[in-house]
Amino acid sequence: MAMAALRREGRRLAPLISPRTITAVRSSPLYPTLEDEGPLGVRHISTQVVRNRMKSVKNIQKITKAMKMVAASKLRAIQTKTENSRGLWQPFTALLGDLPSADVKKNVVVTISSDKGLCGGINSTSVKISKGLHKLNSATGPEKETKYVILGEKAKAQLVRDSKKDIELIITELQKNPLNYTQVSVLADEILKNVEYDALRIVFNKFQSVVSFVPTVSTVLSTEIVEREAESGGKLGDLDSYEVEGGETKGEILQNLAEFQFSCTMFNAVLENACSEQGARMSAMDSSSRNAGDMLDRLTLTYNRTRQASITTELIEIISGASALEG
Amino acid sequence: MLGRASMLLPCRSILPARARPFSTDLPAAPSADATFTEAWTKVIPNMDPPKTPLSFMQPRPPTPSSIPSKLTVNFVLPYASELATKEVDMVIVPATTGQMGVLPGHVATIAELKPGVLSVHEGSEMTKYFVSSGFVFIHANSFADIIAVEAVPLDRLDVNLVQKGLAEFTSKLSSATTDLEKAEAQIGIDVHSALNSALTG
């Protein structure tokens, strides 16, 4: 027993004390093992490889657990802001309704995504929906054009590959400073200045709960389209019944209204997407830690099996050697 | 199977009040959504269509035949909902055309706001806020939506800072060269003089 323990210790110190280097490296498909020679010339199967793997998996588990905690704390901070901003877009939808199927010539799809990765599938869903909207709009007629405005690195990486000519603006590093309305309204101003649009469709992931994120598209129509829809009746038919106070013309006020609506919807969309990102990262890191834990369990079993097998081999060799001497 | 379904419902009611209402509570999806969903499923059959804001909103009540006694006010800011469906008697909003009083049964209006004082009258109590700018929508069903970029109760304003700001922007206007600087200085003066009159008046 003591000899086996010593030999186990000796094996760990083998690289330091043994003059003989590791000779044969016999790799098997499942468990690559190294045969080394211990101090008394006895061959044992080395558990070094398994032990290295166990150490690295344990480290990964610690890292992903820490990332989950960080995402949880960031989520808590931004969730209150998001819930408070939810009242912001409702008056606009109550007044102007929501017409995602309005027939427009110039569509602009604003895709909101994250800058950092490891957040599950939310960025891919946003990009898929954006591409779907592009397809939907081009299916209705030949003169319809759809342009992209991209917020965030991840959507940029995916959309640049096949829709490079349709991209108007790319904005990254949105979350360097905590999100606030001033920043988003400056952003909205930039987009409105540089892009011609009849309808702006904002694609983002709405935060329902920590495990559920719903891809959503909010439509903001330009003043001309709003007037056209109001005249043709239907959903916006009673818009004309609203008196418009102040300003030189009704159009001026409606223009301001459209811009204000865009910045408010953008603000809410950006916050919701940030919340969804943190929530998705939490669940991704959680499943990753759980997987690492499972892997660690399996590796521990393998390690024990290998260790016990080598001890058994040693004992057999000693006993058979002893019985051979006795004759 | 029905038993299991009814067992699921109580679980969902533990969700906080701000969560989405049950799909049975919402009215049937309005026609605009239906056209969108149909068009989507035709072109992209493999993916679920994205949701639209209408599915996340409580529908507004229709215009009643008689004038209701109270005005329902939603006063929202980007970072908070100050008043959410609060029933009040009257609100006075600082529209660009001047102070506008809104009572139940007011004609449907869209008005832009200028920096000024907003007061909410409920019974005998009156709350005053200084709003920077925004919009007010008055609907025919006596619902008023006030959306402001920034609003503070009047007691949070500091008289000295207001005076200092006013002096600063007046000097900026006199030393302004480009149109942009002049416009910015003018905006500063407007806001600060409105603040001044709000504090004194």
Side-chain angles (χ1 to χ4, degrees):
Chain A
M1 239 353 159
M3 290 289 271
L6 192 61
R7 211 164 286 127
R8 235 177 294 144
E9 294 307 314
R11 197 170 44 233
R12 280 202 201 113
L13 298 171
L16 300 171
I17 60 171
S18 156
R20 288 176 231 145
T21 51
I22 298 171
T23 49
V25 177
R26 198 179 29 187
S27 61
S28 73
L30 287 174
Y31 303 116
T33 52
L34 294 167
E35 264 197 355
D36 58 356
E37 300 193 29
L40 292 176
V42 182
R43 289 174 301 163
H44 356 271
I45 303 168
S46 168
T47 53
Q48 187 66 32
V49 173
V50 181
R51 241 185 294 132
N52 282 342
R53 261 201 99 179
M54 278 170 66
K55 198 163 67 162
S56 65
V57 170
K58 207 183 289 183
N59 284 338
I60 288 177
Q61 191 183 33
K62 282 192 203 150
I63 291 172
T64 50
K65 269 204 189 125
M67 283 183 77
K68 179 186 168 190
M69 293 292 124
V70 167
S73 71
K74 285 195 179 159
L75 178 70
R76 228 175 304 137
I78 209 169
Q79 194 174 352
T80 33
K81 266 194 186 172
T82 307
E83 287 179 356
N84 287 336
S85 82
R86 281 205 178 134
L88 199 58
W89 55 265
Q90 291 188 6
F92 293 105
T93 317
L95 178 74
L96 297 169
D98 186 42
L99 295 163
S101 52
D103 204 17
V104 288
K105 286 224 185 57
K106 298 209 190 96
N107 281 293
V108 177
V109 175
V110 182
T111 316
I112 305 187
S113 66
S114 62
D115 283 332
K116 304 211 183 104
L118 293 180
C119 49
I122 53 169
N123 293 324
S124 308
T125 1
S126 290
V127 170
K128 267 195 279 190
I129 302 268
S130 312
K131 289 192 182 160
L133 283 172
H134 185 117
K135 202 165 157 195
L136 189 68
N137 289 321
S138 359
T140 48
E143 74 283 353
K144 308 283 166 63
E145 48 170 76
T146 318
K147 297 272 173 196
Y148 292 108
V149 170
I150 303 177
L151 268 77
E153 286 279 353
K154 294 287 149 186
K156 168 180 153 194
Q158 292 190 34
L159 282 171
V160 140
R161 238 184 287 143
D162 46 5
S163 316
K164 194 153 185 196
K165 55 178 174 49
D166 283 331
I167 300 178
E168 287 275 348
L169 270 177
I170 303 178
I171 300 155
T172 53
E173 291 199 6
L174 201 61
Q175 296 204 38
K176 215 161 156 184
N177 306 319
L179 290 167
N180 56 3
Y181 183 69
T182 331
Q183 174 193 29
V184 177
S185 59
V186 168
L187 204 67
D189 203 26
E190 278 294 321
I191 297 176
L192 289 171
K193 258 194 303 194
N194 293 327
V195 182
E196 284 184 21
Y197 68 99
D198 281 335
L200 288 150
R201 295 173 203 275
I202 309 175
V203 177
F204 62 103
N205 291 84
K206 194 171 167 73
F207 181 75
Q208 297 276 75
S209 76
V210 180
V211 293
S212 129
F213 326 105
V214 181
T216 318
V217 63
S218 294
T219 319
V220 174
L221 300 168
S222 75
T223 345
E224 297 92 23
I225 304 291
V226 166
E227 286 191 12
R228 189 191 75 186
E229 292 287 327
E231 276 161 33
S232 68
K235 302 248 37 194
L236 283 182
D238 44 357
L239 189 66
D240 276 334
S241 64
Y242 283 82
E243 289 252 338
V244 178
E245 290 265 337
E248 305 286 310
T249 59
K250 182 172 167 179
E252 205 182 291
I253 304 284
L254 288 182
Q255 175 75 15
N256 289 346
L257 184 65
E259 294 180 359
F260 193 41
Q261 181 187 9
F262 181 53
S263 74
C264 287
T265 357
M266 272 290 280
F267 182 61
N268 186 52
V270 166
L271 279 176
E272 298 265 0
N273 204 57
C275 254
S276 306
E277 178 200 336
Q278 299 298 346
R281 188 166 294 130
M282 255 183 83
S283 60
M285 291 296 106
D286 181 47
S287 61
S288 171
S289 330
R290 213 171 301 133
N291 283 342
D294 289 344
M295 202 183 279
L296 202 59
D297 288 339
R298 269 184 288 134
L299 284 172
T300 312
L301 288 174
T302 317
Y303 173 69
N304 284 331
R305 263 206 305 272
T306 326
R307 187 177 52 87
Q308 286 162 5
S310 78
I311 292 171
T312 314
T313 328
E314 276 181 48
L315 284 172
I316 289 176
E317 287 180 356
I318 294 169
I319 293 169
S320 52
S323 69
L325 282 175
E326 285 169 23
Chain B
M1 197 173 83
L2 276 175
R4 230 176 294 149
S6 59
M7 260 174 36
L8 283 173
L9 284 175
C11 293
R12 283 183 75 185
S13 60
I14 304 173
L15 289 173
R18 284 214 200 88
R20 246 181 102 201
F22 301 157
S23 55
T24 45
D25 288 351
L26 291 168
S31 55
D33 278 354
T35 23
F36 179 63
T37 349
E38 276 168 31
W40 179 277
T41 32
K42 249 193 287 182
V43 183
I44 306 138
N46 303 329
M47 255 200 296
D48 281 333
K51 294 267 172 7
T52 49
L54 266 176
S55 50
F56 296 119
M57 228 179 89
Q58 301 279 17
R60 293 289 173 86
T63 316
S65 43
S66 65
I67 298 176
S69 59
K70 293 271 199 181
L71 183 71
T72 325
V73 165
N74 286 324
F75 180 27
V76 285
L77 302 167
Y79 51 84
S81 280
E82 278 290 331
L83 302 169
T85 52
K86 182 145 182 242
E87 307 242 319
V88 296
D89 294 322
M90 176 172 79
V91 287
I92 302 182
V93 294
T96 38
T97 47
Q99 298 279 53
M100 189 166 81
V102 183
L103 289 157
H106 195 285
V107 67
T109 313
I110 302 173
E112 200 176 336
L113 301 175
K114 67 167 191 246
V117 177
L118 170 97
S119 47
V120 178
H121 300 257
E122 167 66 30
S124 54
E125 38 176 78
M126 182 173 75
T127 352
K128 282 192 178 178
Y129 301 91
F130 184 83
V131 297
S132 65
S133 55
F135 267 86
V136 61
F137 308 143
I138 307 166
H139 302 276
N141 51 10
S142 293
F143 263 72
D145 293 313
I146 309 170
I147 312 146
V149 176
E150 188 68 62
V152 284
L154 280 184
D155 46 13
R156 302 259 299 271
L157 296 172
D158 183 350
V159 181
N160 301 325
L161 285 176
V162 170
Q163 302 287 11
K164 235 177 29 165
L166 187 59
E168 197 184 312
F169 277 101
T170 332
S171 68
K172 265 202 199 149
L173 180 65
S174 48
S175 68
T177 46
T178 64
D179 271 338
L180 183 64
E181 281 178 34
K182 279 206 191 103
E184 285 178 8
Q186 187 62 45
I187 294 173
I189 292 182
D190 286 340
V191 173
H192 281 86
S193 37
L195 275 166
N196 216 357
S197 51
L199 285 171
T200 50

